[in-house]
Amino acid sequence: MATKNLSEYDLTSVPSASEMSFGIVVSEWNHEVTGALAQGAVYTLKMHGAKDVNIILKHVPGSFELTLGAQYLAEFANVDAIIVLGCVIQGETRHFEFICQGVTQGITSLNMKYNKPFIFGLLTTDNQRQALDRAGGKLGNKGDEAAVTAIKMLALKNGLTK
Ligand code: DLZ
């Protein structure tokens, strides 16, 4: 079981995001959790220099729609990286598995198709408590981590292509 704040990181190890642009797609399902993830992601991008004008945030109905929402942002908004944020909580049926598999495969494919970072910020938990612990609770905020990952992946790409 995770026992530490997983979002703790060395602030100085994160490159500047001042010249980067980001799309964020947020699922409305479990909005108490996903809203906190989104808040963390936006806060962290801005803390590392991203400008408001370079952050586009859009909502989709559920986590299953994150993949297409992310593809829309890649096609129709001129952003450098895209972060998807959702929360799937295990229920009594196998729905959970299908959504998680669908999003995982979908986001992986988008990374390859567009050759740009699509960051996987999907919580897949047994219950709401575990989700809240990872959305600004005692185990940090996966939205913060997704933001840092997006910045680092763009810096990697920029370092190789510019
Ligand atoms: C239907 C459904 C269920 C049961 N559970 C969740 C969930 O825990 N988290 C989530 O983000 N979405 C859930 N959904 C909705 C699906 O993601 C999707 O929106 C619908 O199946 C319509 O495609």
Side-chain angles (χ1 to χ4, degrees):
M1 191 176 83
T3 51
K4 66 178 184 125
N5 180 339
L6 301 171
S7 302
E8 279 171 8
Y9 62 94
D10 174 11
L11 284 174
T12 60
S13 74
V14 182
S16 168
S18 62
E19 301 302 318
M20 299 173 178
S21 61
F22 303 89
I24 305 177
V25 191
V26 186
S27 164
E28 289 168 353
W29 259 80
N30 300 313
H31 60 89
E32 189 185 347
V33 174
T34 61
L37 294 175
Q39 238 182 352
V42 171
Y43 174 85
T44 301
L45 291 176
K46 286 164 72 168
M47 183 172 64
H48 291 291
K51 302 178 184 93
D52 276 319
V53 68
N54 288 332
I55 302 173
I56 299 176
L57 189 149
K58 297 289 180 191
H59 287 92
V60 291
S63 291
F64 190 74
E65 285 71 44
L66 286 170
T67 305
L68 185 57
Q71 174 156 306
Y72 284 163
L73 278 182
E75 289 283 338
F76 308 129
N78 193 21
V79 289
D80 299 322
I82 293 157
I83 297 167
V84 305
L85 300 172
C87 170
V88 194
I89 297 178
Q90 177 75 278
E92 289 180 356
T93 69
R94 296 183 63 206
H95 206 94
F96 175 88
E97 286 170 45
F98 296 126
I99 297 177
C100 295
Q101 263 175 27
V103 182
T104 306
Q105 285 168 10
I107 297 304
T108 304
S109 304
L110 291 179
N111 274 280
M112 300 304 124
K113 178 175 172 187
Y114 288 95
N115 201 25
K116 60 170 67 176
F118 287 76
I119 309 302
F120 184 82
L122 180 69
L123 292 180
T124 57
T125 62
D126 290 339
N127 53 53
Q128 195 186 29
R129 179 74 269 146
Q130 288 180 347
L132 289 169
D133 285 348
R134 290 158 177 79
K138 67 180 181 194
L139 296 177
N141 190 323
K142 286 285 168 193
D144 297 4
E145 293 175 34
V148 169
T149 305
I151 296 168
K152 287 188 169 178
M153 287 306 292
L154 280 179
L156 172 64
K157 185 179 181 186
N158 292 343
L160 294 168
T161 58
K162 285 186 181 166

